Amino acid sequence: MKRIAEISVILLVALTSYFAGSFYRWLFGIMAIYAIITISWNLMKTIGRLSMGHALLFGLPAYISAMGYQYSVEASIYLFPITIILSGILFFVFSKITGKTAFVFLTFIASIMLWILTPKIVIEKDGILVGGEVGFNFFNVHFHGIFILSVISLIVIYLFTAEITSSRFGYFMKAVGDDETASKAVGINVDRVKLITIMYSSVLAGFAGLLYALDFGHISYEVFSVETSIFPFVASLLSGGNLFLSVLSSFFLVLLKRSLNSVYPGLMDVFYALVLVFSPKIGGFVYVKGKKFIKKL
Amino acid sequence: MALSFLYNFFVISVMALMISLNFRLSKFLNLSLAGFFAAGSYIAYFYPNLIAALILGGLFGFGLSLIIMKYCESVIEATISSLGFGLLIERILYFIHESSYYYILNYDLSWLSIPATLTVFAVILFLYLTKNIGLKLKFVESDIELAEIYGVDTTKIKYMVIILTSATVTCFGFIYASLLAITPTIGFGYLISGIIVSAFAAQLKLNGIYHYVSVIALSFVLTRIFGVIL
């Protein structure tokens, strides 16, 4: 019953966007993409790993795929899943070699390095240099197609993730997130749980990146920006870590970005920065008030 | 070429030293240093006064330390707050100066980098080799709780470290501005290079002044190998 109500809310937002006009149909696509990133980020948080470099999982598969697209369509199609797997493995290795605190630093550094280095990547296509700060062109799907694809994928991903997190495996994930040593002591295969979760998170983020690239028909180094990495953190913070509320807060943040940036370009980034600065205070406030609110309900 | 290598080595080593000091004494990864570096560069372009950069850097540091000490209880919280603080400075710079790039053409302060870097090295050396202060600093580095129990004023040390490192990085942003294209994201490359250097140095598990000497040595080696890929 609860799931039906949650899906109805997502569908209601989608339908409202559909009937509000072309712009809002396109905007819903973006909202859904960011909601999928937040779901992906939340999964990693469940196993106790706070990723501040989710831009890497989001942008790298689509970026490498777009590079392959400059040569052939086949190369693009093959490179996409390979990069998803490799970025997932990279994050798993990070989680193996570091503790919870160092994982935050390492993921952040990795994504910032990509942000700094990718504008320097150029490749030759038919004697012309492409890439650099401009980025690469990619397949383009009409925004109607993206709208339908994003509605279906968001609902499927949400339902599947909600089921996973409330399943036996979900409890293992939470146990690993709370205490890895204790989880090992009670017989949970910690590495297996971490690997599966990180790979699933990587697939979701990579898929969101693909939708993003298909929507714009282009991808540049901007996908690796700090803003992309901090978006799911902010969305999750404002929702108190609840999966459904984090989808709604992602919708809200994308809408807020549109509104604030139309007042003054870049104003949303100030909002992000302020949320980060006061994140310990906001996190505690949302958690305490949220608990009280849920109790009242 | 050699001069350019020397400048890169100086700025990366200072950034790495400041990151190390923050991490070992204030117990968080200060990601706002990129923003402070950028602020220093903008001061050099619009109001070329080193004292102004020093004061503004100190004020930034004071603001950041207030937030860290008041609201943050863990390393991760403090690190994320510092990232937000740095981004806030960057965004404010975007708002005030919308144009993408600025170049300083009428004067060159980069010669100052040599005495400034040597001063930073000397100050750190002096602090750690002075018996009373050095002992306290090493105590805080190895076990902050125990240091507190034994009466070391760790809060004061944390405040001082954040303020002084912020002011230093802002001044270096000022000094290096004439060598670079000034944008709000100017400091990120140096910040990441500095983090990488201090992370490598941390693996050597050295204490006190030996750690900082290893940071300087590794900055030299890594700048030599990688140049300024970042």
Coordinates of all heavy atoms in Angstrom, one line a residue, chain A residues 202-284:
Chain A
S202 N 26.8 1.8 -9.1 CA 27.5 2.2 -10.3 C 26.7 2.1 -11.5 O 26.7 3.0 -12.4 CB 28.8 1.4 -10.4 OG 29.4 1.6 -11.6
V203 N 25.9 1.0 -11.6 CA 25.0 0.8 -12.8 C 24.0 1.9 -12.8 O 23.7 2.5 -13.9 CB 24.4 -0.6 -12.7 CG1 23.3 -0.7 -13.7 CG2 25.4 -1.7 -13.0
L204 N 23.4 2.2 -11.6 CA 22.3 3.2 -11.6 C 22.9 4.6 -12.0 O 22.3 5.3 -12.8 CB 21.7 3.3 -10.2 CG 20.9 2.1 -9.7 CD1 20.2 2.5 -8.4 CD2 19.9 1.7 -10.7
A205 N 24.0 5.0 -11.4 CA 24.6 6.3 -11.7 C 25.0 6.3 -13.2 O 24.8 7.4 -13.8 CB 25.8 6.5 -10.8
G206 N 25.6 5.3 -13.7 CA 26.0 5.2 -15.1 C 24.8 5.4 -16.0 O 24.9 6.1 -17.0
F207 N 23.7 4.7 -15.6 CA 22.5 4.8 -16.4 C 22.0 6.2 -16.4 O 21.5 6.7 -17.5 CB 21.4 3.8 -15.9 CG 20.1 3.8 -16.6 CD1 20.0 3.3 -17.9 CD2 19.0 4.4 -16.0 CE1 18.8 3.4 -18.6 CE2 17.8 4.4 -16.7 CZ 17.7 3.9 -18.0
A208 N 22.0 6.9 -15.3 CA 21.6 8.3 -15.2 C 22.4 9.1 -16.1 O 21.9 10.0 -16.8 CB 21.6 8.7 -13.7
G209 N 23.7 8.9 -16.1 CA 24.6 9.6 -16.9 C 24.3 9.4 -18.4 O 24.4 10.4 -19.2
L210 N 24.0 8.2 -18.8 CA 23.6 7.9 -20.2 C 22.3 8.7 -20.6 O 22.3 9.3 -21.6 CB 23.3 6.4 -20.3 CG 22.9 5.9 -21.7 CD1 24.1 6.1 -22.7 CD2 22.4 4.5 -21.7
L211 N 21.3 8.7 -19.7 CA 20.1 9.4 -20.0 C 20.4 10.9 -20.2 O 19.9 11.6 -21.1 CB 19.1 9.3 -18.8 CG 18.3 8.0 -18.7 CD1 17.4 8.1 -17.5 CD2 17.5 7.8 -19.9
Y212 N 21.3 11.4 -19.3 CA 21.7 12.8 -19.4 C 22.4 13.1 -20.7 O 22.1 14.1 -21.4 CB 22.7 13.1 -18.2 CG 23.1 14.5 -18.1 CD1 22.4 15.4 -17.4 CD2 24.3 15.0 -18.7 CE1 22.8 16.8 -17.2 CE2 24.8 16.3 -18.5 CZ 24.0 17.2 -17.8 OH 24.4 18.5 -17.7
A213 N 23.3 12.3 -21.1 CA 24.0 12.5 -22.4 C 23.1 12.3 -23.6 O 23.2 13.1 -24.5 CB 25.2 11.5 -22.5
L214 N 22.1 11.4 -23.5 CA 21.2 11.2 -24.6 C 20.2 12.4 -24.7 O 19.8 12.8 -25.8 CB 20.3 10.0 -24.3 CG 21.0 8.6 -24.5 CD1 20.1 7.5 -24.1 CD2 21.5 8.4 -26.0
D215 N 19.9 13.0 -23.5 CA 19.0 14.1 -23.5 C 19.6 15.3 -24.2 O 19.0 16.0 -25.0 CB 18.7 14.5 -22.0 CG 17.5 15.4 -21.9 OD1 16.9 15.7 -22.9 OD2 17.2 15.8 -20.7
F216 N 20.9 15.6 -23.9 CA 21.5 16.8 -24.5 C 22.2 16.5 -25.8 O 22.6 17.4 -26.5 CB 22.6 17.3 -23.5 CG 21.9 18.0 -22.3 CD1 21.7 17.3 -21.1 CD2 21.4 19.3 -22.4 CE1 21.1 17.9 -20.0 CE2 20.8 19.9 -21.3 CZ 20.7 19.2 -20.1
G217 N 22.5 15.2 -26.1 CA 23.2 14.8 -27.3 C 24.6 15.3 -27.3 O 25.3 15.4 -28.3
H218 N 25.1 15.5 -26.1 CA 26.5 16.0 -25.9 C 26.9 15.8 -24.5 O 26.1 15.7 -23.6 CB 26.4 17.5 -26.2 CG 27.6 18.3 -26.0 ND1 27.9 18.9 -24.9 CD2 28.7 18.4 -26.8 CE1 29.1 19.5 -25.0 NE2 29.6 19.2 -26.2
I219 N 28.2 15.7 -24.3 CA 28.7 15.5 -22.9 C 30.1 16.2 -22.8 O 30.9 16.2 -23.8 CB 28.8 14.1 -22.5 CG1 29.0 13.9 -21.0 CG2 29.9 13.3 -23.2 CD1 28.6 12.6 -20.4
S220 N 30.3 17.0 -21.7 CA 31.5 17.7 -21.6 C 32.1 17.4 -20.2 O 31.4 16.7 -19.4 CB 31.3 19.2 -21.8 OG 30.7 19.7 -20.7
Y221 N 33.2 18.1 -19.9 CA 33.8 17.9 -18.5 C 32.9 18.3 -17.4 O 33.1 18.0 -16.2 CB 35.2 18.6 -18.5 CG 35.1 20.1 -18.4 CD1 35.3 20.7 -17.2 CD2 34.8 20.9 -19.5 CE1 35.2 22.1 -17.0 CE2 34.7 22.2 -19.4 CZ 34.9 22.8 -18.1 OH 34.8 24.2 -18.0
E222 N 31.9 19.1 -17.7 CA 31.0 19.7 -16.6 C 30.3 18.6 -15.9 O 29.9 18.8 -14.7 CB 30.0 20.7 -17.3 CG 30.6 22.0 -17.7 CD 31.1 22.9 -16.6 OE1 30.7 22.6 -15.4 OE2 31.9 23.8 -16.8
V223 N 30.2 17.4 -16.5 CA 29.5 16.3 -15.7 C 30.3 15.9 -14.5 O 29.7 15.3 -13.6 CB 29.2 15.0 -16.6 CG1 28.1 15.2 -17.5 CG2 30.5 14.5 -17.3
F224 N 31.6 16.2 -14.5 CA 32.4 15.8 -13.3 C 32.5 17.0 -12.3 O 33.3 16.9 -11.4 CB 33.8 15.4 -13.8 CG 33.8 14.3 -14.8 CD1 34.2 14.6 -16.1 CD2 33.4 13.1 -14.4 CE1 34.2 13.5 -17.0 CE2 33.4 12.0 -15.4 CZ 33.8 12.3 -16.7
S225 N 31.7 18.0 -12.5 CA 31.9 19.2 -11.6 C 31.5 18.8 -10.1 O 30.9 17.8 -9.8 CB 31.0 20.3 -12.1 OG 29.6 20.0 -11.8
V226 N 32.0 19.7 -9.2 CA 31.7 19.5 -7.8 C 30.2 19.5 -7.5 O 29.7 18.7 -6.7 CB 32.4 20.6 -7.0 CG1 32.3 20.4 -5.5 CG2 33.9 20.8 -7.3
E227 N 29.5 20.3 -8.3 CA 28.1 20.4 -8.1 C 27.4 19.1 -8.3 O 26.5 18.7 -7.6 CB 27.5 21.5 -9.0 CG 27.7 22.9 -8.6 CD 29.1 23.4 -8.8 OE1 29.8 22.8 -9.7 OE2 29.6 24.3 -8.1
T228 N 27.8 18.3 -9.3 CA 27.2 17.0 -9.6 C 27.5 16.1 -8.4 O 26.6 15.3 -8.1 CB 27.8 16.4 -10.9 OG1 27.9 17.4 -11.9 CG2 27.0 15.2 -11.4
S229 N 28.7 16.2 -7.9 CA 29.0 15.3 -6.8 C 28.3 15.6 -5.5 O 27.9 14.7 -4.7 CB 30.5 15.4 -6.5 OG 31.2 14.7 -7.5
I230 N 28.0 16.9 -5.3 CA 27.4 17.2 -4.0 C 25.9 17.2 -4.1 O 25.2 17.2 -3.0 CB 27.9 18.6 -3.4 CG1 27.6 19.7 -4.4 CG2 29.3 18.6 -3.1 CD1 28.0 21.1 -3.9
F231 N 25.3 17.1 -5.3 CA 23.9 17.1 -5.4 C 23.2 16.0 -4.6 O 22.3 16.3 -3.8 CB 23.4 17.0 -6.9 CG 22.0 17.0 -7.1 CD1 21.2 18.2 -7.3 CD2 21.3 15.8 -7.0 CE1 19.9 18.1 -7.4 CE2 19.9 15.8 -7.1 CZ 19.2 16.9 -7.3
P232 N 23.6 14.7 -4.8 CA 23.0 13.7 -4.0 C 23.2 13.8 -2.5 O 22.3 13.4 -1.8 CB 23.6 12.4 -4.6 CG 24.8 12.7 -5.3 CD 24.6 14.2 -5.7
F233 N 24.3 14.3 -2.1 CA 24.6 14.5 -0.7 C 23.5 15.5 -0.1 O 22.9 15.3 0.9 CB 26.0 15.1 -0.5 CG 26.3 15.5 0.9 CD1 26.6 14.5 1.9 CD2 26.2 16.8 1.3 CE1 26.8 14.9 3.2 CE2 26.5 17.2 2.6 CZ 26.8 16.2 3.5
V234 N 23.4 16.6 -0.9 CA 22.4 17.7 -0.4 C 21.0 17.1 -0.4 O 20.2 17.3 0.6 CB 22.5 18.9 -1.3 CG1 21.4 19.9 -0.9 CG2 23.9 19.6 -1.1
A235 N 20.6 16.4 -1.5 CA 19.3 15.8 -1.6 C 19.0 14.8 -0.5 O 17.9 14.9 0.2 CB 19.1 15.1 -2.9
S236 N 20.0 14.0 -0.2 CA 19.8 13.0 0.9 C 19.8 13.7 2.3 O 19.0 13.3 3.2 CB 21.0 12.1 0.8 OG 20.9 11.1 1.9
L237 N 20.6 14.8 2.4 CA 20.6 15.5 3.7 C 19.3 16.1 4.0 O 18.8 16.1 5.1 CB 21.7 16.6 3.6 CG 22.0 17.3 4.9 CD1 23.0 16.5 5.7 CD2 22.7 18.6 4.6
L238 N 18.7 16.7 3.0 CA 17.4 17.4 3.1 C 16.2 16.4 3.4 O 15.2 16.8 3.8 CB 17.1 18.3 1.9 CG 18.1 19.5 1.7 CD1 17.7 20.3 0.5 CD2 18.1 20.4 2.9
S239 N 16.5 15.2 3.0 CA 15.4 14.2 3.2 C 15.6 13.3 4.4 O 14.8 12.4 4.6 CB 15.3 13.4 1.9 OG 16.5 12.7 1.7
G240 N 16.7 13.6 5.1 CA 16.9 12.7 6.3 C 17.3 11.3 5.9 O 17.2 10.4 6.8
G241 N 17.7 11.1 4.7 CA 18.2 9.7 4.3 C 17.1 8.8 3.8 O 17.4 7.7 3.4
N242 N 15.8 9.2 3.9 CA 14.7 8.4 3.5 C 14.7 8.3 2.0 O 14.8 9.3 1.3 CB 13.4 9.0 4.0 CG 12.2 8.3 3.6 OD1 11.8 8.2 2.5 ND2 11.5 7.7 4.6
L243 N 14.5 7.1 1.5 CA 14.7 6.8 0.0 C 13.6 7.6 -0.8 O 13.9 8.3 -1.7 CB 14.6 5.3 -0.3 CG 14.9 5.0 -1.7 CD1 16.4 5.2 -2.0 CD2 14.6 3.5 -2.0
F244 N 12.3 7.5 -0.4 CA 11.3 8.2 -1.1 C 11.4 9.7 -1.0 O 11.3 10.4 -2.0 CB 9.9 7.7 -0.6 CG 8.8 8.4 -1.2 CD1 8.5 8.3 -2.6 CD2 8.0 9.3 -0.5 CE1 7.5 9.0 -3.2 CE2 6.9 10.0 -1.1 CZ 6.7 9.8 -2.4
L245 N 11.7 10.2 0.2 CA 11.8 11.6 0.4 C 13.0 12.2 -0.4 O 13.0 13.3 -0.8 CB 11.9 12.0 1.9 CG 10.7 11.7 2.7 CD1 10.9 12.1 4.1 CD2 9.5 12.5 2.1
S246 N 14.1 11.3 -0.5 CA 15.2 11.8 -1.3 C 14.9 11.9 -2.8 O 15.5 12.8 -3.4 CB 16.4 10.9 -1.0 OG 16.2 9.6 -1.6
V247 N 14.0 11.1 -3.3 CA 13.5 11.3 -4.7 C 12.8 12.6 -4.8 O 13.1 13.4 -5.7 CB 12.6 10.1 -5.1 CG1 12.0 10.4 -6.5 CG2 13.4 8.8 -5.2
L248 N 11.9 12.9 -3.8 CA 11.2 14.2 -3.9 C 12.1 15.4 -3.7 O 11.9 16.4 -4.3 CB 10.1 14.2 -2.8 CG 8.9 13.2 -2.9 CD1 7.9 13.5 -1.9 CD2 8.3 13.2 -4.3
S249 N 13.1 15.2 -2.8 CA 14.0 16.3 -2.5 C 14.9 16.6 -3.8 O 15.2 17.7 -4.0 CB 14.8 16.2 -1.3 OG 15.7 15.1 -1.4
S250 N 15.1 15.5 -4.6 CA 15.9 15.7 -5.8 C 15.0 16.5 -6.8 O 15.5 17.4 -7.4 CB 16.2 14.4 -6.5 OG 17.0 13.6 -5.6
F251 N 13.7 16.2 -6.9 CA 12.8 16.9 -7.7 C 12.8 18.4 -7.3 O 13.0 19.3 -8.1 CB 11.4 16.4 -7.6 CG 11.1 15.1 -8.2 CD1 9.9 14.4 -8.0 CD2 12.1 14.4 -9.0 CE1 9.6 13.2 -8.6 CE2 11.8 13.2 -9.5 CZ 10.6 12.6 -9.3
F252 N 12.7 18.6 -6.0 CA 12.6 19.9 -5.4 C 13.9 20.7 -5.7 O 13.8 21.9 -6.2 CB 12.4 19.9 -3.9 CG 12.7 21.1 -3.2 CD1 11.8 22.2 -3.3 CD2 13.8 21.3 -2.4 CE1 12.0 23.4 -2.6 CE2 14.1 22.5 -1.7 CZ 13.1 23.5 -1.8
L253 N 15.1 20.1 -5.6 CA 16.3 20.8 -5.8 C 16.5 21.2 -7.3 O 17.0 22.3 -7.6 CB 17.5 19.9 -5.4 CG 17.8 19.8 -3.9 CD1 18.9 18.8 -3.6 CD2 18.1 21.2 -3.3
V254 N 16.0 20.3 -8.2 CA 16.1 20.7 -9.7 C 15.2 21.9 -10.0 O 15.6 22.8 -10.7 CB 15.8 19.5 -10.6 CG1 15.8 19.9 -12.0 CG2 16.8 18.4 -10.4
L255 N 14.0 21.8 -9.4 CA 13.1 23.0 -9.6 C 13.7 24.2 -9.0 O 13.6 25.3 -9.6 CB 11.7 22.7 -8.9 CG 10.9 21.6 -9.7 CD1 9.6 21.3 -8.9 CD2 10.4 22.2 -11.1
L256 N 14.2 24.1 -7.8 CA 14.8 25.2 -7.1 C 16.0 25.8 -7.9 O 16.1 27.0 -8.0 CB 15.3 24.8 -5.7 CG 15.8 25.9 -4.8 CD1 14.6 26.8 -4.3 CD2 16.5 25.4 -3.5
K257 N 16.8 24.9 -8.5 CA 17.9 25.4 -9.3 C 17.4 26.2 -10.5 O 18.0 27.3 -10.8 CB 18.6 24.1 -9.9 CG 19.9 24.5 -10.6 CD 20.6 23.2 -11.0 CE 21.9 23.6 -11.8 NZ 22.7 22.5 -12.2
R258 N 16.3 25.8 -11.1 CA 15.8 26.5 -12.2 C 15.3 27.9 -11.8 O 15.6 28.9 -12.4 CB 14.5 25.8 -12.8 CG 14.8 24.6 -13.6 CD 15.2 25.0 -15.0 NE 16.3 24.1 -15.4 CZ 17.0 24.3 -16.5 NH1 16.8 25.4 -17.3 NH2 18.0 23.5 -16.8
S259 N 14.6 27.9 -10.6 CA 14.1 29.2 -10.1 C 15.2 30.1 -9.7 O 15.2 31.3 -10.1 CB 13.2 29.0 -8.9 OG 12.4 27.9 -9.1
L260 N 16.1 29.6 -8.9 CA 17.2 30.5 -8.4 C 18.1 31.0 -9.5 O 18.5 32.2 -9.5 CB 18.0 29.8 -7.3 CG 17.4 29.5 -6.0 CD1 18.3 28.8 -5.0 CD2 16.9 30.8 -5.3
N261 N 18.5 30.1 -10.4 CA 19.4 30.5 -11.5 C 18.7 31.5 -12.5 O 19.4 32.2 -13.2 CB 19.9 29.3 -12.2 CG 21.0 28.6 -11.4 OD1 21.4 29.1 -10.4 ND2 21.4 27.4 -11.9
S262 N 17.4 31.4 -12.5 CA 16.7 32.4 -13.4 C 16.7 33.8 -12.7 O 16.6 34.8 -13.4 CB 15.3 32.0 -13.7 OG 14.5 31.9 -12.5
V263 N 16.7 33.8 -11.4 CA 16.9 35.1 -10.6 C 18.3 35.7 -10.9 O 18.5 36.8 -11.2 CB 16.6 34.9 -9.1 CG1 16.9 36.2 -8.4 CG2 15.2 34.4 -8.9
Y264 N 19.3 34.8 -10.7 CA 20.7 35.2 -10.9 C 21.5 34.0 -11.2 O 21.5 33.0 -10.4 CB 21.2 35.9 -9.7 CG 22.4 36.8 -10.0 CD1 22.3 38.1 -10.2 CD2 23.7 36.2 -10.1 CE1 23.4 38.9 -10.5 CE2 24.8 37.0 -10.4 CZ 24.6 38.3 -10.6 OH 25.7 39.1 -10.9
P265 N 22.2 33.9 -12.4 CA 22.9 32.7 -12.7 C 23.9 32.3 -11.6 O 24.7 33.1 -11.2 CB 23.6 33.1 -14.0 CG 22.8 34.2 -14.6 CD 22.3 34.9 -13.4
G266 N 23.9 31.0 -11.3 CA 24.8 30.6 -10.3 C 24.4 30.7 -8.8 O 25.1 30.3 -7.9
L267 N 23.1 31.2 -8.6 CA 22.6 31.4 -7.3 C 22.4 30.1 -6.6 O 22.6 29.9 -5.3 CB 21.3 32.2 -7.3 CG 20.9 32.9 -6.0 CD1 21.9 33.8 -5.5 CD2 19.6 33.6 -6.2
M268 N 22.1 29.0 -7.3 CA 21.9 27.7 -6.7 C 23.1 27.2 -6.1 O 23.1 26.5 -5.1 CB 21.4 26.7 -7.8 CG 21.0 25.4 -7.3 SD 19.6 25.5 -6.2 CE 19.5 23.8 -5.6
D269 N 24.3 27.5 -6.7 CA 25.5 27.0 -6.2 C 25.8 27.6 -4.8 O 26.4 27.0 -4.0 CB 26.7 27.3 -7.1 CG 26.5 26.6 -8.5 OD1 25.9 25.5 -8.4 OD2 27.0 27.1 -9.5
V270 N 25.3 28.8 -4.6 CA 25.5 29.5 -3.3 C 24.6 28.7 -2.3 O 25.1 28.4 -1.2 CB 25.0 31.0 -3.3 CG1 25.0 31.6 -1.9 CG2 25.9 31.7 -4.3
F271 N 23.4 28.3 -2.7 CA 22.6 27.5 -1.9 C 23.3 26.2 -1.5 O 23.3 25.8 -0.3 CB 21.2 27.2 -2.6 CG 20.3 26.3 -1.8 CD1 19.5 26.7 -0.8 CD2 20.2 24.9 -2.2 CE1 18.7 25.9 -0.1 CE2 19.4 24.1 -1.5 CZ 18.6 24.5 -0.5
Y272 N 23.8 25.5 -2.5 CA 24.6 24.2 -2.2 C 25.7 24.5 -1.2 O 25.9 23.7 -0.3 CB 25.2 23.7 -3.5 CG 24.3 23.0 -4.5 CD1 24.5 23.1 -5.9 CD2 23.2 22.3 -4.0 CE1 23.7 22.4 -6.8 CE2 22.4 21.6 -4.9 CZ 22.6 21.7 -6.3 OH 21.8 21.1 -7.2
A273 N 26.4 25.6 -1.5 CA 27.6 25.8 -0.6 C 27.1 26.1 0.8 O 27.7 25.5 1.8 CB 28.4 27.0 -1.1
L274 N 26.0 26.8 1.0 CA 25.5 27.1 2.4 C 25.0 25.8 3.0 O 25.3 25.6 4.2 CB 24.4 28.2 2.3 CG 24.9 29.6 2.0 CD1 23.7 30.5 1.8 CD2 25.7 30.1 3.2
V275 N 24.4 25.0 2.3 CA 23.9 23.7 2.8 C 25.1 22.9 3.3 O 25.1 22.3 4.4 CB 23.1 22.9 1.8 CG1 22.8 21.5 2.3 CG2 21.8 23.6 1.5
L276 N 26.2 22.9 2.5 CA 27.4 22.1 2.9 C 28.0 22.7 4.1 O 28.4 21.9 5.1 CB 28.4 22.1 1.8 CG 28.2 21.3 0.5 CD1 29.4 21.4 -0.4 CD2 27.9 19.8 0.9
V277 N 28.1 24.0 4.2 CA 28.8 24.7 5.3 C 28.0 24.3 6.6 O 28.6 23.9 7.6 CB 28.8 26.2 5.2 CG1 29.2 26.9 6.5 CG2 29.8 26.6 4.1
F278 N 26.7 24.3 6.6 CA 25.9 24.1 7.8 C 25.3 22.6 7.8 O 24.4 22.4 8.5 CB 24.8 25.1 7.9 CG 25.4 26.5 8.1 CD1 25.3 27.4 7.1 CD2 26.0 26.9 9.3 CE1 25.9 28.7 7.2 CE2 26.5 28.1 9.5 CZ 26.5 29.0 8.4
S279 N 25.9 21.8 7.0 CA 25.4 20.4 6.9 C 25.3 19.6 8.2 O 24.3 18.9 8.4 CB 26.2 19.6 5.8 OG 27.5 19.6 6.2
P280 N 26.3 19.8 9.1 CA 26.1 19.0 10.4 C 24.9 19.5 11.1 O 24.1 18.7 11.7 CB 27.4 19.4 11.1 CG 28.3 19.8 10.1 CD 27.5 20.5 9.1
K281 N 24.6 20.8 11.1 CA 23.4 21.3 11.8 C 22.1 20.9 11.1 O 21.2 20.5 11.7 CB 23.6 22.9 11.8 CG 22.8 23.6 12.9 CD 23.4 23.5 14.2 CE 22.5 24.2 15.2 NZ 22.8 23.8 16.6
I282 N 22.2 21.1 9.8 CA 20.9 20.8 9.0 C 20.6 19.3 9.1 O 19.5 18.9 9.3 CB 21.2 21.1 7.5 CG1 21.3 22.6 7.4 CG2 20.0 20.7 6.6 CD1 21.8 23.1 6.0
G283 N 21.7 18.4 9.0 CA 21.5 17.0 9.1 C 20.8 16.6 10.4 O 19.8 15.9 10.4
G284 N 21.3 17.1 11.5 CA 20.7 16.8 12.8 C 19.3 17.3 12.9 O 18.4 16.6 13.4

